[in-house]
Amino acid sequence: MSPNQLYKKRPITRLQRVIGVFASIVFLAITGFASIPNIAVDQTGKGALGQYVKTTFPQGWGFFTKSGKDPIITPYSVSDDGIESISTSPVGQPKYALGLSRMGRAQGIELGLLLKYLDNTWKQCDTRDSNKCLENADRTPSQEIENISPSPSVCGDVIFLETEPIPFHFRDLVKYDRVGNRYAVAHVRCGS
């Protein structure tokens, strides 16, 4: 036998593909249903399906997502014309190829690099309404920082506003959609 005959790959048959696709769909369905609390599939009422899946596959779906309850920091550009959001979120927009392009996600890294310089400059919002917090924010930059990103999206006078979502059960009690926690103002230099 020649070396080429020893290492010759066997082609994947149609039956193997069907079995692979079917097993993947079953796996995703079971783990997906098990991650939903109090599902109708589990008739025991004890969460046996969820416990089995969590024991067998302990990683869970949380590995792939960030909690929607976590605070987020949004950059706003301050100019003579007013305040405007310069956030690239959501990344599912057509200009970011519906989430496939990394350009929309790059701003998170850029913000992380900038925010490490603002630790001692945060001010508490006067109100819980994030829009009013932004309107009432002191627009005087507390410090100047340099954006070292190769493709900067955050430049000039910027307000960084930390907000968190309104808990679902309180959504009808308030007229705003996010709670303003704190903000920081900086002049961000771009380019050397």
Side-chain angles (χ1 to χ4, degrees), residues 84-140:
E84 181 181 353
S85 173
I86 51 176
S87 174
T88 57
S89 299
V91 295
Q93 301 174 59
K95 68 180 177 181
Y96 301 121
L98 303 176
L100 296 176
S101 169
R102 292 190 215 159
M103 293 306 293
R105 294 191 297 265
Q107 191 178 63
I109 306 297
E110 182 180 355
L111 287 175
L113 291 171
L114 294 172
L115 294 175
K116 69 181 179 180
Y117 299 110
L118 299 175
D119 282 343
N120 299 325
T121 62
W122 291 94
K123 298 176 185 172
Q124 292 299 314
C125 289
D126 296 334
T127 176
R128 302 282 290 161
D129 183 345
S130 61
N131 294 325
K132 288 186 179 168
C133 176
L134 194 59
E135 290 171 13
N136 299 339
D138 178 17
R139 290 180 175 77
T140 308

Side-chain angles (χ1 to χ4, degrees), residues 2 9 12 33-35 38 41 53 61 75 84-85 88 106 110 114 116 118 135 141 146 153 155 161 167 175-176:
S2 71
K9 287 185 174 181
I12 297 176
F33 282 131
S35 66
N38 300 325
V41 175
V53 171
W61 290 101
E84 181 181 353
S85 173
T88 57
E110 182 180 355
L114 294 172
K116 69 181 179 180
L118 299 175
E135 290 171 13
E146 185 174 354
S153 65
C155 299
L161 179 65
K175 297 195 184 307
Y176 48 91

Side-chain angles (χ1 to χ4, degrees), residues 127-191:
T127 176
R128 302 282 290 161
D129 183 345
S130 61
N131 294 325
K132 288 186 179 168
C133 176
L134 194 59
E135 290 171 13
N136 299 339
D138 178 17
R139 290 180 175 77
T140 308
S142 58
Q143 72 183 73
E144 188 170 307
I145 53 179
E146 185 174 354
N147 190 340
I148 61 171
S149 173
S151 301
S153 65
V154 179
C155 299
D157 289 340
V158 179
I159 297 176
F160 298 94
L161 179 65
E162 181 186 86
T163 62
E164 59 186 49
I166 303 290
F168 185 73
H169 48 280
F170 294 131
R171 72 190 182 284
D172 295 328
L173 301 177
V174 294
K175 297 195 184 307
Y176 48 91
D177 59 347
R178 296 198 68 81
V179 173
N181 289 339
R182 60 187 185 149
Y183 68 94
V185 184
H187 179 77
V188 182
R189 278 190 337 262
C190 293

